[in-house]
Amino acid sequence: MPEEAVRTGEVLGIHVDGTRGLTAELIEALGRVCDQVEDQQTAVIVLRIRGTVEGARVPDIALVTKWEGVLRRLERLPAASVAAMWGPCAGVALDAALAADYRVAHPTVQLVPGMLSGGVWPGMALYRMSRLSQRAAVRRAVLFGEPIGADEALAAGLVDEVEQEPAVGVERLVERLPGVWGPDLAIRRDLLWGAGAEFEGALGGHLAACDRVLRRHTDPV
């Protein structure tokens, strides 16, 4: 069932269905995953990700803020996270994939920036993409909302592998990852990304931009 966490040994899995958009249920489900990792010392999180929302859906800025908070919590957990991705991934699917430590993509994958009111949604996916890569494909996605195909995403460093069977690639990784569990994992992530404080500074600007877009979308002309 989408967005339902299932514990199996040292692996905790969650499905993120981008077609359902941002919901309180998704935020709560990912929050429960984080709780279980911290309480039970789960070693690996597997995110199974796919889907885009059909048509524009106007999110609530309070939900956006909570969603970004739980994604940041995912990024700081003492467990490694791996995303298996299929087909077009937009909205919450793209957000969750980019927050994972490692991404295995099916050849059909497209990373699709969110669009609203004729423009690119200024969410933290743009921040994560630009931190991972400065390739031309990323710039086009950020500026114009152009989708990034699997091969382009691999070349740009946005995904780590392209596999016909992403789940098989993830299973291979899961066998290696339990040994990396621990609080020092968050420290290594910060060293990889640079100064951790930069995220908090960026978050305020992105949320303010999202709020402005929502006001333009909902305020009467």
Side-chain angles (χ1 to χ4, degrees), residues 6-191:
V6 181
R7 181 176 171 79
T8 306
E10 293 185 310
V11 178
L12 190 65
I14 182 169
H15 294 265
V16 180
D17 181 358
T19 66
R20 301 179 67 179
L22 179 57
T23 65
E25 290 75 18
L26 173 59
I27 295 169
E28 291 168 3
L30 188 52
R32 287 194 299 271
V33 168
C34 296
D35 290 340
Q36 291 182 54
V37 168
E38 293 168 347
D39 294 343
Q40 303 174 14
Q41 299 187 354
T42 303
V44 183
I45 303 165
V46 175
L47 301 104
R48 297 175 180 87
I49 294 171
R50 70 174 75 216
T52 64
V53 174
E54 294 296 330
R57 293 186 189 175
V58 181
D60 180 276
I61 195 63
L63 275 182
V64 173
T65 302
K66 291 178 181 178
W67 174 236
E68 295 295 355
V70 77
L71 287 177
R72 186 55 170 163
R73 189 179 173 196
L74 171 68
E75 291 177 317
R76 289 176 161 175
L77 287 174
S81 56
V82 182
M85 306 164 62
W86 291 265
C89 295
V92 294
L94 179 60
D95 290 339
L98 293 174
D101 291 314
Y102 200 91
R103 287 164 287 279
V104 182
H106 188 267
T108 59
V109 158
Q110 286 188 314
L111 308 185
V112 185
M115 304 292 290
L116 189 66
S117 299
V120 179
W121 174 248
M124 289 298 284
L126 304 187
Y127 169 85
R128 291 183 173 94
M129 280 197 294
S130 63
R131 290 295 299 270
L132 287 165
S133 175
Q134 289 291 323
R135 297 287 289 267
V138 174
R139 293 196 297 274
R140 292 194 299 270
V142 171
L143 292 173
F144 310 118
E146 290 187 11
I148 302 175
D151 290 338
E152 279 188 311
L154 180 64
L158 298 177
V159 302
D160 298 282
E161 298 180 29
V162 176
E163 299 279 357
Q164 285 290 338
E165 298 291 342
V168 174
V170 167
E171 287 177 5
R172 184 178 66 250
L173 283 165
V174 165
E175 293 177 0
R176 298 173 53 194
L177 289 173
V180 306
W181 187 92
D184 66 320
L185 181 58
I187 296 172
R188 297 204 300 273
R189 287 194 192 104
D190 279 344
L191 291 173

